[in-house]
């Protein structure tokens, strides 16, 4: 969508700017009017934040030093990472627990017998769900890596992550941090066919501490604070793997390592330049009980678009119910609810008891639909957008809203945006979004500049 094709009026919910003219000068002339200050609809009244999703992952291998440094150079306010735990109990920056899709491990295995031998080939086992096994709750069984309930170390044989089967892949928890740094290189992941490949496999994997150090060094050089936005990824899986690898002494060695990371960087304060995010409330709640004072964000996932009415789907007839339909800890506990409940006023109030914000999927903030609906319609056919009220309700509950994930490829944009990613950002900025997770930092910054100019022109 070009500037001559504005977003739907339903999205333009900007408050009127109160511009007061200055009084006349002492000589009867008019004083120069000061430039109006933009009045943002964010929770704190400040400009929305651009969060570099896994660094500048649209152009560089994600979660590498280059990706983070390039994102900061492009104007990112925060740099985001996913945290997993290595075999020797360090927190490493990587999106998935399996390594073949965002590293060059398959190529390395062809010439390195040690790496090749680490592939996990043992199948998982099916476990019956504890809630009523009805179609509206999803599959009646989920896959588990605990193939021998009497032997905790048996989880080190299959590669099943929160019900997701990755038999025949390599687990991040089978390698030390040094091995990950020296043996493997990072690659692009999402939309990989559309993204540059020049640096794939050439940049080492890095630790969570490295990301903090990059933010500090680049922030100092730029004269501004760069915050870190770190996710406890697949916390149940990471804890079980860590216990089997003899990391720590308690039941949550993964979160205990996060606490240690906060303390050693003097980040365990409400105003520290860090957010700790998770899709699983149990992880955030444990961190709070363990003494975390840093800001926390409850991520909210979903599975499907319903282009007939703009709603989001959660329950599927396959493993995606367990992966993205509900927090995995809820499946284990026999709780059949889905992420949908987190978006209700009661759900938001519950989140406020242990977190400072929410991180919803984009269509949970703005409903995408095709009107009139036609069979087979997809994202490219979306012609109607509607504010779901989630931002306003979250703000009412005192929660910031950071939505994911903004990508610039045409295949990732609703048809109403006419292939213009800036227009997508503007739709969310106009609603008062507090921050956006983006693979393309420069586009998020450019759109924010356009939004600010738009506000000043009012």
């Amino acid at each position: 969508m070009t500037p001559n094709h504005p977003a739907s009026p339903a999205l333009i919910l900007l408050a009127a700017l109160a511009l007061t003219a200055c009084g006349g000068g002492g000589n009867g002339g008019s004083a120069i009017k000061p430039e109006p200050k933009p009045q943002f609809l964010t929770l704190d009244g400040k400009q929305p934040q651009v969060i570099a999703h896994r660094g500048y992952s649209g152009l560089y291998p994600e979660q590498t030093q280059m990706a983070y440094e390039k994102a900061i150079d492009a104007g990112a306010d925060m740099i985001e990472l996913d945290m997993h735990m290595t075999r020797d109990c360090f927190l490493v920056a990587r999106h998935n627990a399996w390594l073949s899709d965002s590293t060059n491990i398959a190529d390395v295995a062809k010439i390195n017998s040690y790496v090749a031998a680490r592939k996990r080939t043992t199948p998982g086992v099916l476990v019956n769900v504890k809630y009523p096994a009805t179609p509206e709750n999803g599959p009646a069984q989920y896959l588990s890596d605990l193939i021998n309930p009497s032997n905790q170390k048996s989880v080190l044989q299959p590669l099943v992550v929160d019900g997701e089967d990755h038999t025949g892949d390599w687990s991040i928890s089978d390698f030390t941090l040094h091995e990950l740094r020296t043996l493997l290189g990072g690659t692009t992941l999402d939309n990989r066919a559309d993204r540059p490949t020049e640096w794939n496999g050439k940049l080492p994997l890095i630790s969570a501490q490295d990301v903090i150090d990059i933010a500090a060094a680049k922030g100092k050089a730029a004269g501004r604070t760069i915050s870190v936005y770190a996710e406890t990824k697949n916390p149940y899986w990471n804890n079980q793997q860590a216990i089997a690898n003899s990391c720590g002494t308690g039941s949550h060695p993964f979160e205990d390592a996060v606490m240690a990371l906060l303390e050693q960087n003097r980040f365990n304060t409400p105003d520290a330049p860090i957010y700790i995010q998770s899709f699983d409330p149990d992880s955030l709640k444990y961190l709070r009980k363990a003494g975390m004072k840093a800001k926390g964000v409850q991520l909210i996932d979903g599975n499907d678009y319903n282009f007939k009415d703009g709603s989001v789907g959660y329950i599927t007839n396959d493993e995606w119910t367990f992966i993205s339909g509900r927090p995995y800890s809820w499946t284990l506990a026999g709780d059949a609810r889905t992420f949908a409940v987190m978006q209700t006023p009661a759900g938001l109030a519950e989140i406020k008891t242990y977190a400072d914000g929410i991180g919803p999927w984009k269509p949970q903030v703005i409903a995408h639909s095709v009107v009139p609906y036609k069979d087979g319609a997809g994202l490219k056919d979306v012609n109607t957008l509607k504010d779901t009220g989630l931002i306003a309700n979250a703000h009412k509950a005192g929660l910031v809203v950071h939505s994911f994930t903004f990508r610039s490829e045409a295949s990732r944009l609703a048809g109403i945006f006419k292939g213009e990613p800036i227009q997508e950002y503007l739709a969310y900025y106009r609603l008062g979004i507090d921050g956006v997770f983006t693979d393309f930092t420069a586009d998020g910054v450019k759109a924010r500049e356009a939004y600010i100019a738009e506000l000043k022109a009012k």
Side-chain angles (χ1 to χ4, degrees), residues 101-386:
D101 61 1
S102 66
T103 78
N104 63 342
I105 195 167
D107 291 333
V108 172
K110 294 175 183 177
I111 58 174
N112 187 313
S113 60
Y114 171 80
V115 172
R118 300 279 74 77
K119 182 183 288 188
R120 293 196 184 183
T121 58
T122 303
V125 295
L126 286 170
V127 177
N128 294 330
V129 298
K130 295 179 181 178
Y131 43 74
T134 58
E136 53 268 25
N137 287 337
Q141 295 180 311
Y142 62 92
L143 202 62
S144 171
D145 59 0
L146 187 59
I147 58 176
N148 182 355
S150 64
N151 180 10
Q152 174 64 28
K153 289 187 178 295
S154 69
V155 301
L156 299 176
Q157 297 176 50
L159 186 46
V160 177
V161 184
D162 294 359
E164 189 171 0
D165 186 13
H166 286 277
T167 301
D169 210 323
W170 290 266
S171 175
I172 203 165
S173 58
D174 286 341
F175 295 88
T176 66
L177 179 59
H178 177 72
E179 288 170 342
L180 292 171
R181 288 188 193 278
T182 57
L183 295 174
L184 308 180
T187 66
T188 55
L189 176 56
D190 296 292
N191 282 76
R192 68 186 75 186
D194 303 319
R195 297 184 176 182
T197 60
E198 175 187 2
W199 292 100
N200 280 356
K202 299 177 182 178
L203 304 173
L205 276 58
I206 60 178
S207 70
Q209 182 62 56
D210 290 333
V211 179
I212 291 174
D213 293 343
I214 291 167
K218 292 289 287 184
K220 182 178 180 181
R224 62 191 181 95
T225 298
I226 308 298
S227 296
V228 173
Y229 212 120
E231 180 182 350
T232 59
K233 191 75 175 178
N234 306 115
Y236 177 80
W237 182 86
N238 268 294
N239 277 313
Q240 299 309 303
Q241 296 286 302
I243 292 169
N245 279 326
S246 301
C247 296
T249 57
S251 60
H252 288 76
F254 182 46
E255 285 88 0
D256 291 343
V258 174
M259 286 297 301
L261 185 74
L262 292 172
E263 294 292 353
Q264 70 191 30
N265 288 282
R266 298 182 180 180
F267 274 1
N268 195 23
T269 63
D271 58 351
I274 194 167
Y275 281 87
I276 301 297
Q277 57 177 331
S278 186
F279 283 104
D280 207 307
D282 277 15
S283 186
L284 293 172
K285 289 178 179 179
Y286 175 86
L287 286 165
R288 287 297 187 211
K289 291 179 181 177
M292 187 181 82
K293 299 180 180 64
K295 297 179 288 292
V297 171
Q298 174 66 60
L299 299 174
I300 303 175
D301 214 346
N303 272 316
D304 303 311
Y305 292 92
N306 183 334
F307 294 117
K308 286 185 177 180
D309 60 11
S311 63
V312 170
Y314 300 92
I315 300 300
T316 66
N317 60 5
D318 57 18
E319 69 274 11
W320 283 99
T321 290
F322 310 117
I323 299 166
S324 301
R326 63 171 65 92
Y328 191 61
S329 63
W330 288 8
T331 290
L332 297 177
D335 186 341
R337 294 177 301 162
T338 71
F339 280 109
V341 302
M342 291 185 178
Q343 300 159 64
T344 66
L348 294 169
E350 165 65 15
I351 290 171
K352 182 60 178 174
T353 65
Y354 63 87
D356 303 277
I358 59 171
W361 187 26
K362 290 184 300 184
Q364 293 164 338
V365 176
I366 297 178
H368 294 49
S369 59
V370 178
V371 181
Y373 179 76
K374 54 184 179 181
D375 289 340
L379 189 62
K380 70 182 188 318
D381 302 302
V382 168
N383 57 15
T384 303
L385 303 172
K386 182 179 180 181

Side-chain angles (χ1 to χ4, degrees), residues 59-134:
L59 296 183
Y60 305 95
E62 63 175 37
Q63 303 200 62
T64 60
Q65 181 172 342
M66 179 178 284
Y68 288 120
E69 290 182 342
K70 293 293 187 180
I72 294 169
D73 290 343
D77 303 294
M78 308 182 194
I79 52 176
E80 192 261 359
L81 72 149
D82 307 301
M83 296 184 294
H84 285 284
M85 186 165 269
T86 65
R87 190 180 73 188
D88 56 343
C89 315
F90 286 95
L91 295 172
V92 64
R94 197 95 313 245
H95 178 58
N96 287 328
W98 52 97
L99 292 167
S100 65
D101 61 1
S102 66
T103 78
N104 63 342
I105 195 167
D107 291 333
V108 172
K110 294 175 183 177
I111 58 174
N112 187 313
S113 60
Y114 171 80
V115 172
R118 300 279 74 77
K119 182 183 288 188
R120 293 196 184 183
T121 58
T122 303
V125 295
L126 286 170
V127 177
N128 294 330
V129 298
K130 295 179 181 178
Y131 43 74
T134 58

